[in-house]
Protein backbone atom coordinates (compact mmCIF):
# COMPACT_ATOMS: atom_id res chain seq x y z
CA UNK A 1 0.00 0.00 0.00
CA UNK A 2 2.86 2.33 0.86
CA UNK A 3 4.50 1.68 -2.51
CA UNK A 4 1.23 2.45 -4.32
CA UNK A 5 1.00 5.74 -2.44
CA UNK A 6 4.55 6.65 -3.47
CA UNK A 7 3.83 5.77 -7.10
CA UNK A 8 0.66 7.87 -7.05
CA UNK A 9 2.54 10.85 -5.56
CA UNK A 10 5.29 10.40 -8.09
CA UNK A 11 2.75 10.51 -10.89
CA UNK A 12 1.26 13.75 -9.59
CA UNK A 13 4.72 15.33 -9.30
CA UNK A 14 5.63 14.29 -12.85
CA UNK A 15 2.41 15.77 -14.18
CA UNK A 16 2.98 19.06 -12.37
CA UNK A 17 6.52 19.28 -13.74
CA UNK A 18 5.22 18.72 -17.24
CA UNK A 19 2.37 21.17 -16.81
CA UNK A 20 4.67 23.95 -15.60
CA UNK A 21 7.07 23.50 -18.51
CA UNK A 22 9.87 22.10 -16.42
CA UNK A 23 10.62 19.03 -18.48
CA UNK A 24 12.96 20.83 -20.86
CA UNK A 25 14.99 22.18 -17.96
CA UNK A 26 15.10 18.72 -16.41
CA UNK A 27 16.34 17.21 -19.65
CA UNK A 28 19.11 19.80 -19.81
CA UNK A 29 20.14 19.00 -16.24
CA UNK A 30 20.29 15.29 -17.07
CA UNK A 31 22.42 16.07 -20.12
CA UNK A 32 24.80 18.07 -17.97
CA UNK A 33 24.91 15.33 -15.37
CA UNK A 34 26.21 12.88 -17.98
CA UNK A 35 28.93 15.23 -19.15
CA UNK A 36 31.68 12.81 -18.20
CA UNK A 37 29.86 9.73 -19.52
CA UNK A 38 29.59 8.12 -22.93
CA UNK A 39 26.37 9.98 -23.64
CA UNK A 40 27.97 13.41 -23.35
CA UNK A 41 26.58 15.65 -26.12
CA UNK A 42 29.21 16.83 -28.56
CA UNK A 43 29.13 20.21 -30.27
CA UNK A 44 30.78 21.67 -33.31
CA UNK A 45 31.12 25.37 -34.03
CA UNK A 46 28.66 26.44 -36.67
CA UNK A 47 26.32 29.35 -37.13
CA UNK A 48 22.76 28.32 -36.39
CA UNK A 49 20.61 27.57 -39.43
CA UNK A 50 17.57 28.97 -37.61
CA UNK A 51 18.12 32.31 -39.29
CA UNK A 52 19.23 35.59 -37.84
CA UNK A 53 16.97 36.65 -35.00
CA UNK A 54 16.68 39.92 -33.19
CA UNK A 55 16.73 39.64 -29.44
CA UNK A 56 13.09 40.68 -29.41
CA UNK A 57 12.26 37.74 -31.66
CA UNK A 58 14.22 35.36 -29.46
CA UNK A 59 12.07 36.30 -26.48
CA UNK A 60 8.79 36.57 -28.37
CA UNK A 61 6.98 33.97 -26.26
CA UNK A 62 7.31 35.96 -23.02
CA UNK A 63 6.15 39.59 -22.91
CA UNK A 64 8.44 42.15 -21.33
CA UNK A 65 7.36 43.64 -18.03
CA UNK A 66 9.80 46.52 -18.34
CA UNK A 67 8.23 49.91 -17.81
CA UNK A 68 10.01 51.35 -20.82
CA UNK A 69 9.00 50.51 -24.37
CA UNK A 70 11.37 48.79 -26.79
CA UNK A 71 13.31 50.84 -29.30
CA UNK A 72 15.51 50.05 -32.24
CA UNK A 73 18.55 50.80 -30.13
CA UNK A 74 17.42 48.38 -27.44
CA UNK A 75 16.86 45.58 -29.94
CA UNK A 76 20.52 45.85 -30.94
CA UNK A 77 21.67 44.85 -27.48
CA UNK A 78 21.57 41.52 -25.67
CA UNK A 79 18.72 41.30 -23.20
CA UNK A 80 19.35 40.38 -19.59
CA UNK A 81 16.53 39.65 -17.16
CA UNK A 82 16.62 41.01 -13.60
CA UNK A 83 14.26 39.55 -11.01
CA UNK A 84 13.96 38.92 -7.29
CA UNK A 85 14.25 35.40 -5.91
CA UNK A 86 11.98 34.11 -3.14
CA UNK A 87 14.64 34.98 -0.56
CA UNK A 88 14.62 38.59 -1.72
CA UNK A 89 18.01 38.44 -3.45
CA UNK A 90 18.21 40.18 -6.84
CA UNK A 91 19.27 37.78 -9.60
CA UNK A 92 20.20 38.14 -13.28
CA UNK A 93 19.65 35.64 -16.10
CA UNK A 94 20.04 35.33 -19.87
CA UNK A 95 16.48 34.01 -20.18
CA UNK A 96 13.10 35.06 -18.82
CA UNK A 97 12.43 33.56 -15.34
CA UNK A 98 9.08 31.88 -15.98
CA UNK A 99 6.09 33.41 -14.21
CA UNK A 100 8.22 35.59 -11.94
CA UNK A 101 8.00 39.34 -12.56
CA UNK A 102 11.16 40.65 -14.14
CA UNK A 103 12.72 43.70 -15.73
CA UNK A 104 14.52 43.59 -19.06
CA UNK A 105 17.95 45.18 -18.94
CA UNK A 106 20.35 45.84 -21.80
CA UNK A 107 23.85 44.47 -21.92
CA UNK A 108 26.44 46.95 -23.16
CA UNK A 109 28.96 44.60 -24.74
CA UNK A 110 31.97 46.38 -26.27
CA UNK A 111 32.40 43.91 -29.15
CA UNK A 112 28.66 43.39 -29.74
CA UNK A 113 27.86 46.76 -31.27
CA UNK A 114 26.67 46.06 -34.81
CA UNK A 115 27.21 49.64 -35.96
CA UNK A 116 30.78 49.77 -34.63
CA UNK A 117 33.10 51.68 -36.95
CA UNK A 118 36.21 50.25 -35.29
CA UNK A 119 38.68 48.33 -37.40
CA UNK A 120 39.16 45.20 -35.29
CA UNK A 121 42.11 44.10 -37.41
CA UNK A 122 44.05 47.30 -36.81
CA UNK A 123 42.84 48.76 -33.51
CA UNK A 124 45.49 49.16 -30.77
CA UNK A 125 45.98 46.12 -28.54
CA UNK A 126 46.50 45.82 -24.79
CA UNK A 127 49.44 43.45 -25.05
CA UNK A 128 51.05 44.16 -21.68
CA UNK A 129 48.14 45.16 -19.43
CA UNK A 130 47.68 42.84 -16.44
CA UNK A 131 50.31 40.53 -17.89
CA UNK A 132 51.13 38.76 -14.63
CA UNK A 133 47.49 38.25 -13.63
CA UNK A 134 46.50 36.96 -17.07
CA UNK A 135 49.42 34.52 -17.22
CA UNK A 136 48.61 33.27 -13.73
CA UNK A 137 44.94 32.71 -14.60
CA UNK A 138 45.95 30.99 -17.85
CA UNK A 139 48.21 28.58 -15.99
CA UNK A 140 45.63 27.94 -13.29
CA UNK A 141 42.77 27.18 -15.68
CA UNK A 142 44.79 25.74 -18.58
CA UNK A 143 43.94 28.51 -21.04
CA UNK A 144 45.81 30.48 -23.66
CA UNK A 145 46.80 33.89 -22.27
CA UNK A 146 45.88 35.31 -25.69
CA UNK A 147 42.32 34.00 -25.35
CA UNK A 148 41.83 35.61 -21.94
CA UNK A 149 43.25 38.86 -23.28
CA UNK A 150 40.97 38.73 -26.35
CA UNK A 151 37.86 38.18 -24.22
CA UNK A 152 38.79 41.03 -21.85
CA UNK A 153 39.31 43.30 -24.86
CA UNK A 154 35.96 42.27 -26.33
CA UNK A 155 34.07 42.57 -23.04
CA UNK A 156 35.37 45.81 -21.55
CA UNK A 157 38.30 47.14 -23.63
CA UNK A 158 40.39 46.60 -20.48
CA UNK A 159 38.31 49.01 -18.40
CA UNK A 160 38.66 47.66 -14.86
CA UNK A 161 35.67 49.73 -13.66
CA UNK A 162 33.34 48.83 -16.54
CA UNK A 163 29.75 48.42 -15.34
CA UNK A 164 26.93 47.61 -17.73
CA UNK A 165 23.28 48.52 -17.20
CA UNK A 166 22.65 44.83 -16.52
CA UNK A 167 25.07 44.83 -13.62
CA UNK A 168 27.96 43.06 -15.36
CA UNK A 169 31.18 44.15 -13.73
CA UNK A 170 34.85 44.67 -14.38
CA UNK A 171 37.33 43.52 -16.97
CA UNK A 172 35.58 40.28 -17.94
CA UNK A 173 32.07 41.64 -17.26
CA UNK A 174 30.93 39.15 -14.63
CA UNK A 175 27.28 39.14 -13.62
CA UNK A 176 26.75 39.29 -9.83
CA UNK A 177 25.35 35.76 -9.48
CA UNK A 178 28.03 34.30 -11.75
CA UNK A 179 30.73 36.12 -9.81
CA UNK A 180 29.37 34.71 -6.57
CA UNK A 181 29.34 31.16 -7.97
CA UNK A 182 32.94 31.61 -9.11
CA UNK A 183 34.06 32.79 -5.67
CA UNK A 184 34.62 36.38 -6.78
CA UNK A 185 33.97 38.73 -3.85
CA UNK A 186 34.94 41.99 -5.54
CA UNK A 187 34.57 41.96 -9.33
CA UNK A 188 36.32 45.32 -9.63
CA UNK A 189 39.57 43.87 -8.33
CA UNK A 190 41.52 42.77 -11.45
CA UNK A 191 43.03 39.65 -9.83
CA UNK A 192 39.62 38.33 -8.78
CA UNK A 193 37.81 39.33 -11.97
CA UNK A 194 40.39 37.82 -14.31
CA UNK A 195 40.63 34.59 -12.33
CA UNK A 196 36.83 34.27 -12.15
CA UNK A 197 36.30 35.08 -15.82
CA UNK A 198 39.05 32.68 -16.86
CA UNK A 199 37.52 29.95 -14.70
CA UNK A 200 34.12 30.45 -16.33
CA UNK A 201 35.67 30.54 -19.81
CA UNK A 202 37.44 27.25 -19.04
CA UNK A 203 34.11 25.76 -17.97
CA UNK A 204 32.55 26.78 -21.27
CA UNK A 205 35.46 25.27 -23.22
CA UNK A 206 35.07 22.00 -21.35
CA UNK A 207 31.33 21.97 -21.89
CA UNK A 208 31.67 22.54 -25.64
CA UNK A 209 34.54 20.14 -26.35
CA UNK A 210 37.26 22.76 -26.46
CA UNK A 211 35.64 24.70 -29.29
CA UNK A 212 36.70 28.32 -28.85
CA UNK A 213 33.92 29.82 -30.97
CA UNK A 214 31.19 27.99 -29.05
CA UNK A 215 32.80 28.77 -25.70
CA UNK A 216 32.89 32.48 -26.59
CA UNK A 217 29.28 32.34 -27.82
CA UNK A 218 28.31 30.76 -24.50
CA UNK A 219 30.28 33.39 -22.58
CA UNK A 220 28.31 36.07 -24.40
CA UNK A 221 24.81 34.64 -24.88
CA UNK A 222 24.70 31.88 -22.27
CA UNK A 223 25.41 28.16 -22.65
CA UNK A 224 21.72 27.24 -22.78
CA UNK A 225 21.33 29.22 -26.01
CA UNK A 226 24.33 27.49 -27.60
CA UNK A 227 22.89 24.11 -26.61
CA UNK A 228 19.44 25.06 -27.87
CA UNK A 229 20.65 26.16 -31.31
CA UNK A 230 23.38 23.48 -31.50
CA UNK A 231 25.83 26.14 -32.57
CA UNK A 232 26.45 29.86 -32.38
CA UNK A 233 23.04 31.41 -31.62
CA UNK A 234 21.43 33.45 -34.41
CA UNK A 235 21.71 36.71 -32.50
CA UNK A 236 23.50 39.36 -34.60
CA UNK A 237 25.29 40.72 -31.53
CA UNK A 238 26.59 37.31 -30.47
CA UNK A 239 27.75 36.42 -33.97
CA UNK A 240 29.56 39.75 -34.25
CA UNK A 241 31.09 39.17 -30.80
CA UNK A 242 32.45 35.72 -31.73
CA UNK A 243 33.96 36.96 -34.98
CA UNK A 244 35.63 39.90 -33.26
CA UNK A 245 37.01 37.76 -30.43
CA UNK A 246 38.51 35.51 -33.12
CA UNK A 247 40.18 38.48 -34.80
CA UNK A 248 41.56 39.70 -31.47
CA UNK A 249 42.72 36.20 -30.51
CA UNK A 250 44.77 35.80 -33.68
CA UNK A 251 46.30 39.22 -33.15
CA UNK A 252 47.15 38.59 -29.50
CA UNK A 253 48.76 35.27 -30.44
CA UNK A 254 51.34 37.09 -32.52
CA UNK A 255 54.46 38.31 -30.72
CA UNK A 256 54.24 42.05 -30.16
Amino acid sequence: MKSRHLLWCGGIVSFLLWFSGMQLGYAQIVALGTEEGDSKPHYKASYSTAGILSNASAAHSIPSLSSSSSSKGEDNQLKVYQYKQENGVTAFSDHAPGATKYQVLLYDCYACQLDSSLDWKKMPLFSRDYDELINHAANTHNLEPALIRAVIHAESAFNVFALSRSGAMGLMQLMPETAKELGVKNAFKPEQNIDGGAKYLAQMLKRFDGDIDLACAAYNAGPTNVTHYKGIPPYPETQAYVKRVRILLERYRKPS
Side-chain angles (χ1 to χ4, degrees):
M1 191 70 182
K2 183 177 181 180
S3 62
R4 287 184 179 179
H5 178 71
L6 291 174
L7 287 172
W8 183 80
C9 290
I12 293 296
V13 171
S14 297
F15 173 77
L16 290 174
L17 287 174
W18 172 83
F19 186 75
S20 60
M22 293 291 289
Q23 281 188 322
L24 177 58
Y26 176 74
Q28 291 173 340
I29 293 172
V30 171
L32 289 176
T34 58
E35 186 173 342
E36 301 300 329
D38 293 336
S39 59
K40 175 185 174 182
H42 292 277
Y43 302 89
K44 183 178 181 181
S46 61
Y47 287 86
S48 171
T49 57
I52 299 298
L53 304 177
S54 69
N55 290 316
S57 298
H60 65 86
S61 61
I62 304 176
S64 168
L65 301 184
S66 174
S67 58
S68 60
S69 59
S70 296
S71 67
K72 184 176 180 181
E74 289 177 341
D75 285 340
N76 285 335
Q77 293 175 299
L78 181 65
K79 287 183 179 178
V80 176
Y81 300 87
Q82 175 183 320
Y83 61 97
K84 278 196 174 182
Q85 298 174 317
E86 292 182 0
N87 59 6
V89 176
T90 299
F92 299 86
S93 175
D94 60 359
H95 58 278
T100 305
K101 289 185 178 180
Y102 60 87
Q103 180 180 6
V104 177
L105 302 174
L106 299 173
Y107 187 69
D108 303 311
C109 168
Y110 180 67
C112 300
Q113 300 174 26
L114 299 178
D115 58 351
S116 173
S117 60
L118 298 173
D119 187 340
W120 296 85
K121 295 181 179 179
K122 295 181 180 179
M123 65 164 48
L125 298 178
F126 300 87
S127 300
R128 290 288 176 261
D129 296 63
Y130 304 106
D131 206 30
E132 184 176 346
L133 295 179
I134 289 174
N135 287 332
H136 181 268
N139 289 330
T140 301
H141 302 292
N142 195 28
L143 294 173
E144 267 189 278
L147 178 58
I148 298 176
R149 200 172 286 280
V151 170
I152 294 175
H153 194 152
E155 289 288 339
S156 68
F158 279 79
N159 180 358
V160 68
F161 296 114
L163 177 65
S164 76
R165 280 179 281 178
S166 65
M169 303 173 287
L171 292 167
M172 299 192 77
Q173 289 291 278
L174 302 179
M175 295 297 287
E177 285 297 309
T178 303
K180 184 178 179 181
E181 291 173 2
L182 295 168
V184 176
K185 295 182 179 179
N186 187 341
F188 293 110
K189 287 191 174 182
E191 63 274 18
Q192 292 187 36
N193 190 290
I194 292 173
D195 183 75
K199 182 178 181 179
Y200 185 70
L201 186 57
Q203 291 174 357
M204 295 302 99
L205 279 166
K206 182 178 180 181
R207 178 166 176 171
F208 296 106
D209 303 320
D211 192 296
I212 292 175
D213 288 350
L214 292 182
C216 289
Y219 196 100
N220 174 262
T224 55
N225 284 320
V226 175
T227 300
H228 175 73
Y229 288 107
K230 296 183 174 65
I232 298 169
Y235 308 144
E237 298 83 358
T238 299
Q239 296 195 353
Y241 174 89
V242 172
K243 291 175 181 177
R244 289 164 180 172
V245 170
R246 264 293 181 183
I247 293 171
L248 292 170
L249 174 59
E250 295 304 319
R251 294 185 64 198
Y252 277 118
R253 279 173 170 170
K254 298 177 181 178
S256 58

